[in-house]
Amino acid sequence: MTLRFVVNGKDVAVEVEPSEVLLDSLRRLGYRGVKSGCRTGSCGTCTVLLDGRPVPSCTVLAAQADGREVTTIEGLGDTDNPHPLQSGFLRQGAAQCAYCMQGMILSAKALLDTHPHPTDEEIREGISGNLCRCTGYVKAIEAVAELGGTRLHLDSSNRHPHRNPGPYATVGDPVEKTEGIGLVSGRAKYTDDFAFEGLLQGRIKRSPHAHARIVSIDASKARALEGVHAVLTCEDVPRVPHSTAGQNCPEPSPYDSVMLDRKVRFVGDRVAAVAADTPILAKRACDLIEVEYEMIEPVLDFERAMDEGAPVIHDEDDATGILDASRNMAAHVDAEVGDVEEGFAKAEHVFEHTYRVQYVHANPSEPHIAATFLDEKNRLVVVTSTQVPFHVRRIVSRVNEIPLHDVRVVKPRIGGGFGVKQEVIVEDICAALTLATRRPVKLSLDRSEELVSSRTRHPQILKLRTGVAADGTILAREMRVLTNTGAYGSHGLTVPSNTGSKSLPLYRSPAIAFSNDTVYTNLPVGGACRGYGAPQGYFAMESHSDEIAHALGMDPAEFRLMNAIREGDEDPIAEKLGEGKEGFRRVIQTNGLPECWERVSEAADWEGWRSKLEPGQFGTPGSFRHSRVGKGITFAMHGSGIPGDDMGAATIKANEDGSFNLLVGATDLGTGSDTILAQIASEVLGVTPEKVVVYSSDTDRTPFDVGAYASSTTYVSGGAVVKAAEMVRDRLLVHAAALLAEGPQGLTCADGKVTAPSGKSVSLADVANAAMYGEDKEQISFTASNVTYDCPPPFAAACCTVEVDTETGRVDVTDFVCAVDLGFPINPALAEGQIEGGVLMGLGYALSEEMLFDGKGRMLNDNLRDYRVFSSVDAPPIRAILVRTDEPTGPFGAKSVSEIPVDVVAPAVANAIYAATGVRLRDLPFTPEKVLAGIEALAAAGGEGVGAGGRR
Amino acid sequence: MLDLSALLRPTSPEEAIRLFAETPGNGLYVSGGTVIVPSGSPNLDFLVDLSAAGLDYVRPLADNASTGTAGEGPGLALGAGTCICDLARSQQVADLAGGVLHEAAAAVANHTVRNRATLGGNVVASHYPTDLPPALLVLEASILAMNLDGKREIDLETFYTDRRTQHKKGDLIVEVRVPGASRNLTAAFEKLGRLKLDIATVNAAAAVRVEGGGVVHARAAVSGTGRPPARLHDVETFLIGQKADRETFEEAGRIASESVDPRSNHRASGEYRKKMIGVLVRRALERAAEK
Ligand SMILES: Cc1cc2nc3c(=O)[nH]c(=O)nc-3n(C[C@H](O)[C@H](O)[C@H](O)COP(=O)(O)OP(=O)(O)OC[C@H]3O[C@@H](n4cnc5c(N)ncnc54)[C@H](O)[C@@H]3O)c2cc1C
Ligand code: FES
Ligand code: FES
């Protein structure tokens, strides 16, 4: 049927299929700013204005738009003529990956059209259909409020003033992202935005069973279907055991995966792959593949996985690196410093508690997607939404048995990663489909596949035991962990190592022991996920800290401060745990924790609130009859890169006009690392950031980088940029010296010129021009790489305020303050964005997110209606505070910021719920039902708290 | 993903039912599409789109039969194709019975979905559980349905208790009628989910008329039990003649809780729902009485 409508003021006519949704028609017409995120009306990335109103275009049948007017982000403005909302979002640093932002800006536009001066609440309501996974909505709301001329919703006294803290020129500035308006006008290209001639659609047939052997597989009907170009089963692809984890080689994860296997190990595991002309044909083909399964009893309870006689999940004989496949044990970690038993014997009190954390998903706005094709030289090109292009290249080449030099991996803009894209789970098989068909193939996961079949945050059970002296000094501590890695062991050793190595060093103790068993189950696969094991460890440890403080009758802040690690301290447990093997000696050189706490305590009025409580009283009255308010705190430290393991490299080349090309392997996931690296280069070279043109993440054209993980990019890759920039600068100074007829000593490079001690100066453009066209011609270009052994930890303190509905158990977070000592803030706006977004992700972990399974291992809530992440109306005001320390080992004093905010959240919420009600919850997430059960149990036990005398 | 062979776009309700009857295969109506399009139901052959069928209106009920007695003012006729956002925005809706329908409409999904989601879809797709049915039930709304045999008005409660006979394939819901009598009531809606913006674990609405401190009329309804949205007759009977005070409403909550037997699912256990129905009904009653 013919659809006639008006798009951005233009009359358009297009043929559409009856099932086609408006999202697809618009993208087909070239309006690529309309993004596909869930296709179920739940995420809002596909938002367009239909007759002026924001709607999810994935739920609108194309024909329903007949005769109507549609506005897409492209209709609002572009680089040359941006809409004030687009420039406002960019200026405020509201856009991270920006995958959600095209839609959000349209919602904001519609709001301002009807409410020119919206309140905070109206703004939150207006963008409530646009879920953002990167940010805390804070800056987007500010951008809209600014344009509406309404009061900024946050008390700016607690916020970073966004003035450069000095003493640098561009480093420290809240520079706008290098992508510019393109990022918020639909121009920025994500993987799905590349057009290829003759493109085929890939699709994976997935297992409906948790544990089964494939007896036979008959693809003949699928192959016979017209428009189907390849059907791959385990018989058609190489069998190369590998780990899908994007880690340095050899990976510290077992080689327990093959591209397609004869066995399926979880509901959603790969069975076969198809390439066809259209998505619907690919789906029909998958449905036509006939598979005969022999069912095996699944292992669904990870506490039973190691039992005698439990079904063996990895019984294949070619897997390597599995600790003990016969007992479903993927990995084990053990470390001890001092003698814990001796410490416990000496202790006045010993506390022991067990905590449980659930399956959650990083859930980036853009699901996994890759496109592969053969270039004019028949080399395989992989365009993919990844955090680790160089690891993708290595793994794709290995599992497809083609030479590494025949593979090029390019990462375009990506719609968020958070760890889940540190994994090779679409590229290998997409490449196989291209190799089989010799045609371009695109393979994207739908939201359900993303949730079920990509990677998750490992569930754990954590037992903590702590011995303290009478005054509260910690004498011994032990953490024993059981980790569920699901069907495959990717990151199954290193994630739990980090559970201990990131959290345990925070408090001094003469004796610390850590152990972990990682087991396989027939459930979705664990992987890297923002925080990498630390959020699990911190939930347990910082809940435990509170429990100890309360038992001792101490102020929870005081207990923490007296035991916390100090500047100059060594950190033996982190050294022991390393990254799957013994690590490196670490001495804390900068520690802003006391200042973090001071600022948080003041901003959250911690003392004031506590002084309102009678001894033994829980909670203060809330905004309605049955509500109680409480505040909870957390401290944390994290790391900056993997010491001795992470390597980042940068190439800088000078152009004759005094501009530079910065080529980095580092991957910007939306975090703004391209911008930050440009700032670092420009600082060293004495130019403005616009003079540094960044090109990143292309294995053919940029130097190596491990990729974006472990909070490493600013610290590790930034260090490489400093080195390369210094080399380029020194070379430029040689040419400048000749031009100035002065010695190179004492020349400085700043403000776009080179200045001699005599005061004589020459512009950098003249120097660069002379280098290229003058007497001594050369291309000034240097590559430097950087590895560090220090891993300086950022520190954080947080305070969460909750209001608990004591009749329903529902917890409303009404305020969250988080201060991070991140070293020197290279870009304070982007750093705040990391904190706000990390906190919001942590709130989902604490309160709403949970992957739930039925008795057969099928996920029950595999969509974003039922797997609930925080929307703008659920999000509290998040107040990010940047605490500056100058880390001597980091570029311009920088450490890191992106993961630590997730660490502080769940325990702060747990502690706040306790403070409000007297109910201690040790089992994430705190659903209303669990909270209420806690309240009722407390009442039944006649305990102190809301149930009993708490309603004073 | 949907795999349709036809999408039909009638311009009147009459044409809609005719096209539905004439088209071969397995079909459904589609209105806002926020349920049916994401469902991606592979065994649907056709959809009859209602968005151009003229079902988008909010107007006073002209029909004599349903007009209230003198002094009550007319009821409201709400076209099934009216989007939830328009219900949430309509002054006529906000003015009715203390704005219960406005509250329920504003609680549906999010701003963007509400711009598409319609009243008809919300009433029909009540398995979710959706938010409008409890509010409509306490207002004793009815449905104007239509098929090739003609038009019929069915009260909403009957529609839910006897859905199989009341709602056959191809039956079109033209409008929802709220009687003028509801102008003498005040009513409130309550919803509980994991987050503010969430599908309800349970939801409830209550309507009362209080005269001289006593309850003279009461209605209560819930959804989210794993069964169709339902009136709570035990609660209603109890309330008549009681003093409109806290004890009464607490007792009403207890009765509400006792009178339901909700199912468990991934959102919550049946036991928790049972308790929460008591809490929400009590809260709705308290707020309704305060209005
Ligand atoms: C992210 C998300 C969140 C949601 N949250 C909520 C929520 O919080 N509360 C809530 O109540 N709902 C929620 N929903 C569900 C849904 O959006 C609403 O219930 C909506 O009102 C359905 O209306 P629709 O017009 O989109 O239905 P459609 O998808 O068009 O139709 C739904 C069903 O109703 C039938 N139908 C529609 N109109 C008629 C008619 N006139 N006559 C006969 N049959 C008809 C269709 O055949 C179909 O079977 C949510 C949906 C999404 C996607
Ligand atoms: S893609 Fe349409 S709402 Fe998510
Ligand atoms: S910026 Fe919102 S999802 Fe990335």
Side-chain angles (χ1 to χ4, degrees):
Chain A
M1 51 215 302
T2 309
L3 160 66
R4 287 194 175 75
F5 63 150
V6 178
V7 186
N8 299 335
K10 268 203 307 231
D11 289 322
V12 175
V14 59
E15 280 305 307
V16 297
E17 294 290 319
S19 310
E20 187 167 325
V21 291
L22 184 58
L23 161 68
D24 293 327
S25 323
L26 289 169
R27 287 189 59 82
R28 201 147 57 80
L29 288 165
Y31 301 98
R32 299 283 178 156
V34 191
K35 301 295 180 204
S36 167
C38 71
R39 305 184 74 91
T40 58
S42 314
C43 75
T45 58
C46 66
T47 302
V48 299
L49 302 184
L50 188 62
D51 294 336
R53 288 180 175 187
V55 301
S57 63
C58 67
T59 66
V60 181
L61 290 164
Q64 291 183 307
D66 199 56
R68 305 184 65 175
E69 244 179 78
V70 169
T71 308
T72 71
I73 191 74
E74 290 87 350
L76 244 60
D78 201 350
T79 322
D80 298 330
N81 190 18
H83 187 277
L85 272 169
Q86 290 169 320
S87 27
F89 268 57
L90 202 65
R91 192 172 51 248
Q92 290 280 356
Q96 290 190 30
C97 79
Y99 201 75
C100 71
M101 289 287 163
Q102 329 294 324
M104 193 186 289
I105 289 173
L106 286 166
S107 294
K109 152 101 173 41
L111 172 73
L112 289 172
D113 287 347
T114 53
H115 299 71
H117 309 294
T119 60
D120 178 89
E121 209 172 309
E122 285 167 341
I123 298 171
R124 287 177 184 272
E125 186 54 49
I127 60 169
S128 61
N130 302 95
L131 296 179
C132 176
R133 193 54 160 173
C134 299
T135 78
Y137 302 102
V138 179
K139 294 186 166 18
I141 293 168
E142 280 176 0
V144 181
E146 184 187 51
L147 203 63
T150 34
R151 191 179 53 83
L152 291 190
H153 78 299
L154 287 178
D155 168 11
S156 56
S157 64
N158 290 315
R159 317 251 355 263
H160 196 277
H162 284 182
R163 248 179 282 115
N164 192 328
Y168 308 111
T170 54
V171 153
D173 272 352
V175 170
E176 283 180 16
K177 293 185 87 172
T178 58
E179 296 96 324
I181 294 292
L183 194 59
V184 285
S185 63
R187 275 268 198 110
K189 272 189 157 182
Y190 299 79
T191 303
D192 203 21
D193 300 333
F194 288 79
F196 303 98
E197 204 158 327
L199 179 71
L200 300 177
Q201 301 293 331
R203 189 177 174 95
I204 293 176
K205 182 178 178 73
R206 299 200 175 270
S207 169
H209 307 300
H211 201 184
R213 213 170 293 285
I214 296 174
V215 179
S216 68
I217 187 161
D218 180 358
S220 54
K221 285 191 190 135
R223 289 198 171 105
L225 194 66
E226 194 174 327
V228 172
H229 298 268
V231 179
L232 302 179
T233 70
C234 56
E235 267 146 38
D236 310 300
V237 295
R239 182 180 173 91
V240 181
H242 66 283
S243 170
T244 57
Q247 299 175 293
N248 268 0
C249 188
E251 299 87 341
S253 295
Y255 280 17
D256 58 5
S257 303
V258 294
M259 204 186 301
L260 290 168
D261 205 351
R262 284 221 155 267
K263 193 179 177 189
V264 289
R265 297 182 181 81
F266 70 106
V267 176
D269 205 354
R270 287 177 180 178
V271 173
V274 167
D277 285 334
T278 62
I280 191 79
L281 277 174
K283 177 167 186 301
R284 284 185 200 147
C286 281
D287 294 344
L288 285 172
I289 300 172
E290 288 166 9
V291 187
E292 191 190 330
Y293 295 98
E294 176 196 322
M295 308 296 262
I296 308 171
E297 194 198 325
V299 179
L300 300 177
D301 175 355
F302 74 112
E303 289 185 86
R304 302 259 74 90
M306 290 189 290
D307 283 3
E308 199 74 43
V312 177
I313 296 169
H314 284 278
D315 52 358
E316 68 275 21
D317 54 17
D318 53 357
T320 56
I322 299 177
L323 184 69
D324 182 355
S326 72
R327 295 194 56 217
N328 293 321
M329 287 182 70
H332 177 80
V333 192
D334 233 331
E336 181 164 353
V337 294
D339 183 338
V340 284
E341 286 313 325
E342 193 188 305
F344 288 130
K346 275 200 246 158
E348 179 78 19
H349 310 278
V350 177
F351 299 93
E352 187 171 341
H353 301 112
T354 301
Y355 303 87
R356 285 163 191 271
V357 296
Q358 79 280 33
Y359 259 112
V360 294
H361 199 281
N363 194 43
S365 272
E366 176 203 38
H368 281 79
I369 177 167
T372 50
F373 64 95
L374 297 173
D375 71 6
E376 56 286 0
K377 291 181 180 163
N378 260 347
R379 290 175 71 229
L380 178 76
V381 183
V382 183
V383 180
T384 177
S385 179
T386 184
Q387 295 172 228
V388 287
F390 288 88
H391 295 325
V392 171
R393 178 177 64 170
R394 188 186 72 243
I395 294 171
V396 165
S397 105
R398 207 168 81 78
V399 302
N400 280 290
E401 297 181 331
I402 53 176
L404 185 121
H405 67 256
D406 274 345
V407 183
R408 173 183 175 196
V409 178
V410 180
K411 181 225 67 134
R413 283 297 108 202
I414 106 167
F418 317 110
V420 73
K421 291 178 183 166
Q422 191 195 335
E423 196 86 21
V424 184
I425 47 177
V426 284
E427 298 90 344
D428 60 330
I429 200 147
C430 193
L433 289 168
T434 282
L435 294 172
T437 57
R438 316 306 286 175
R439 284 178 62 170
V441 178
K442 195 174 276 180
L443 177 64
S444 58
L445 301 190
D446 65 26
R447 184 56 58 180
S448 161
E449 288 177 293
E450 179 67 30
L451 288 168
V452 175
S453 304
S454 70
R455 297 295 179 256
T456 66
R457 192 186 290 292
H458 291 84
Q460 291 181 341
I461 298 171
L462 306 101
K463 283 197 174 60
L464 266 164
R465 206 168 148 217
T466 301
V468 296
D471 69 348
T473 306
I474 297 173
L475 299 176
R477 173 162 276 177
E478 184 182 77
M479 186 187 265
R480 307 251 173 251
V481 183
L482 181 67
T483 300
N484 176 3
T485 190
Y488 299 95
S490 94
H491 302 270
L493 168 66
T494 41
V495 159
S497 293
N498 271 267
T499 299
S501 70
K502 292 285 184 286
S503 62
L504 289 170
L506 180 60
Y507 298 110
R508 293 167 152 185
S509 174
I512 301 178
F514 176 81
S515 72
N516 166 74
D517 285 311
T518 302
V519 296
Y520 289 111
T521 58
N522 295 110
L523 286 169
V525 185
C529 186
R530 195 176 193 174
Y532 204 77
Q536 291 97 313
Y538 273 109
F539 167 59
M541 196 178 79
E542 280 297 85
S543 296
H544 188 63
S545 292
D546 238 47
E547 298 201 60
I548 298 171
H550 286 293
L552 297 176
M554 289 178 75
D555 175 343
E558 185 195 328
F559 171 75
R560 287 176 167 88
L561 286 168
M562 74 178 276
N563 285 297
I565 193 168
R566 315 252 163 99
E567 238 161 60
D569 279 3
E570 285 212 33
D571 179 0
I573 187 71
E575 178 180 338
K576 273 263 163 70
L577 281 167
E579 181 75 359
K581 55 180 190 268
E582 185 114 348
F584 299 88
R585 179 167 176 266
R586 176 159 85 171
V587 178
I588 306 302
Q589 307 204 42
T590 50
N591 181 343
L593 186 57
E595 187 184 340
C596 287
W597 170 243
E598 211 174 289
R599 306 262 309 262
V600 165
S601 162
E602 190 190 320
D605 190 27
W606 170 252
E607 293 300 337
W609 179 76
R610 277 176 58 84
S611 68
K612 283 190 218 146
L613 299 173
E614 305 278 321
Q617 180 190 338
F618 290 100
T620 49
S623 62
F624 55 99
R625 177 145 57 98
H626 294 280
S627 77
R628 306 293 295 174
V629 172
K631 288 182 192 283
I633 63 167
T634 321
F635 287 5
M637 64 190 272
H638 206 92
S640 306
I642 307 172
D645 199 54
D646 279 349
M647 192 265 277
T651 301
I652 298 179
K653 124 181 130 54
N655 299 316
E656 65 266 43
D657 63 344
S659 71
F660 301 90
N661 292 104
L662 170 60
L663 311 175
V664 286
T667 32
D668 189 334
L669 316 181
T671 49
S673 67
D674 282 356
T675 311
I676 281 165
L677 298 178
Q679 275 180 272
I680 290 176
S682 69
E683 184 70 41
V684 176
L685 293 162
V687 295
T688 53
E690 310 84 72
K691 290 276 169 63
V692 177
V693 180
V694 189
Y695 183 75
S696 58
S697 329
D698 177 337
T699 58
D700 264 15
R701 300 187 181 170
T702 65
F704 178 87
D705 192 290
V706 288
Y709 54 83
S711 294
S712 62
T713 306
T714 301
Y715 183 74
V716 178
S717 312
V721 173
V722 171
K723 288 185 192 171
E726 284 172 352
M727 290 151 91
V728 168
R729 182 192 62 197
D730 291 349
R731 200 62 210 148
L732 283 167
L733 291 183
V734 171
H735 289 269
L739 286 180
L740 289 166
E742 301 235 359
Q745 285 78 27
L747 295 184
T748 54
C749 217
D751 299 329
K753 56 184 194 262
V754 177
T755 310
S758 64
K760 271 208 286 180
S761 72
V762 55
S763 79
L764 213 53
D766 287 345
V767 178
N769 195 64
M772 199 155 291
Y773 300 118
E775 290 284 290
D776 265 328
K777 293 187 186 56
E778 68 169 316
Q779 166 66 68
I780 299 180
S781 172
F782 289 97
T783 298
S785 41
N786 191 38
V787 183
T788 85
Y789 298 88
D790 298 289
C791 193
F795 290 89
C799 182
C800 170
T801 309
V802 299
E803 179 165 11
V804 182
D805 182 336
T806 59
E807 282 193 305
T808 63
R810 220 181 69 90
V811 176
D812 213 359
V813 178
T814 55
D815 184 40
F816 202 102
V817 187
C818 177
V820 177
D821 153 26
L822 71 170
F824 181 85
I826 305 277
N827 185 320
L830 295 177
E832 279 179 2
Q834 289 301 304
I835 298 175
E836 292 154 3
V839 166
L840 201 70
M841 190 178 268
L843 286 174
Y845 194 38
L847 290 166
S848 66
E849 296 181 35
E850 181 177 24
M851 296 170 66
L852 295 159
F853 304 95
D854 70 8
K856 293 187 164 157
R858 275 186 296 245
M859 186 171 168
L860 292 165
N861 54 340
D862 59 341
N863 62 70
L864 296 180
R865 267 188 324 274
D866 298 332
Y867 181 91
R868 286 308 305 161
V869 304
F870 272 60
S871 70
S872 54
V873 295
D874 302 303
I878 299 169
R879 297 187 281 163
I881 297 172
L882 305 181
V883 168
R884 171 185 175 179
T885 54
D886 289 281
E887 169 63 33
T889 66
F892 298 100
K895 296 195 275 192
S896 68
V897 65
S898 58
E899 293 183 286
I900 190 166
V902 187
D903 298 346
V904 297
V905 184
V909 175
N911 297 340
I913 293 173
Y914 177 78
T917 62
V919 173
R920 173 56 63 183
L921 295 169
R922 303 190 182 94
D923 186 2
L924 285 177
F926 312 133
T927 60
E929 185 165 2
K930 275 190 216 164
V931 176
L932 187 70
I935 291 171
E936 288 175 347
L938 192 69
E944 284 284 313
V946 277
R951 276 189 205 149
R952 298 168 246 215
Chain B
M1 60 194 90
L2 293 176
D3 197 354
L4 303 173
S5 29
L7 175 67
L8 303 128
R9 303 205 70 221
T11 52
S12 69
E14 291 75 16
E15 192 190 356
I17 52 171
R18 188 172 51 75
L19 286 176
F20 198 108
E22 282 171 1
T23 312
N26 181 29
L28 277 178
Y29 292 111
V30 59
S31 186
T34 60
V35 172
I36 203 74
V37 177
S39 77
S41 180
N43 32 27
L44 268 181
D45 301 312
F46 71 89
L47 285 174
V48 176
D49 171 31
L50 303 174
S51 58
L55 297 177
D56 174 5
Y57 54 85
V58 173
R59 59 182 174 229
L61 250 183
D63 179 5
N64 278 340
S66 301
T67 308
T69 50
E72 280 174 348
L76 281 185
L78 310 169
T82 310
C83 79
I84 310 271
C85 60
D86 285 343
L87 291 181
R89 247 175 250 173
S90 156
Q91 196 56 45
Q92 296 184 74
V93 168
D95 289 345
L96 197 75
V100 64
L101 202 51
H102 163 85
E103 286 176 11
V108 172
N110 59 53
H111 185 73
T112 318
V113 168
R114 278 199 296 279
N115 280 329
R116 286 298 294 166
T118 67
L119 170 63
N122 203 277
V123 168
V124 174
S126 58
H127 56 275
Y128 249 119
T130 54
D131 293 319
L132 298 184
L136 291 168
L137 282 170
V138 300
L139 298 178
E140 294 182 77
S142 59
I143 274 173
L144 183 67
M146 185 177 176
N147 58 23
L148 289 177
D149 299 333
K151 285 187 185 174
R152 186 162 65 96
E153 191 168 338
I154 316 161
D155 73 71
L156 190 61
E157 187 181 14
T158 313
F159 177 82
Y160 285 129
T161 48
D162 188 19
R163 185 128 167 204
R164 230 174 253 152
T165 46
Q166 299 298 332
H167 188 67
K168 296 244 168 61
K169 224 170 184 117
D171 283 6
L172 173 72
I173 295 175
V174 179
E175 65 185 31
V176 174
R177 296 175 164 186
V178 182
S182 58
R183 293 193 185 276
N184 294 330
L185 309 172
T186 52
F189 172 79
E190 293 283 333
K191 174 175 181 175
L192 177 67
R194 241 175 225 211
L195 294 174
K196 280 184 211 147
L197 202 155
D198 199 357
I199 307 267
T201 302
V202 285
N203 55 16
V208 290
R209 197 164 86 230
V210 179
E211 280 172 10
V215 180
V216 298
H217 178 99
R219 293 288 177 264
V222 295
S223 187
T225 57
R227 291 167 229 284
R231 287 253 306 268
L232 303 178
H233 291 281
D234 292 354
V235 174
E236 298 171 357
T237 316
F238 160 75
L239 281 166
I240 300 301
Q242 301 287 329
K243 270 201 349 215
D245 62 9
R246 192 187 277 191
E247 279 86 77
T248 297
F249 295 144
E250 271 182 11
E251 182 57 22
R254 256 190 300 280
I255 296 171
S257 179
E258 269 161 33
S259 67
V260 292
D261 181 21
R263 299 209 170 101
S264 298
N265 71 359
H266 65 86
R267 278 184 224 292
S269 71
E271 204 185 322
Y272 176 73
R273 288 191 155 98
K274 191 172 169 67
K275 279 185 222 154
M276 290 309 103
I277 282 169
V279 174
L280 296 196
V281 165
R282 191 205 76 226
R283 287 183 178 181
L285 282 167
E286 284 174 354
R287 281 208 303 115
E290 275 165 22
K291 281 186 179 177

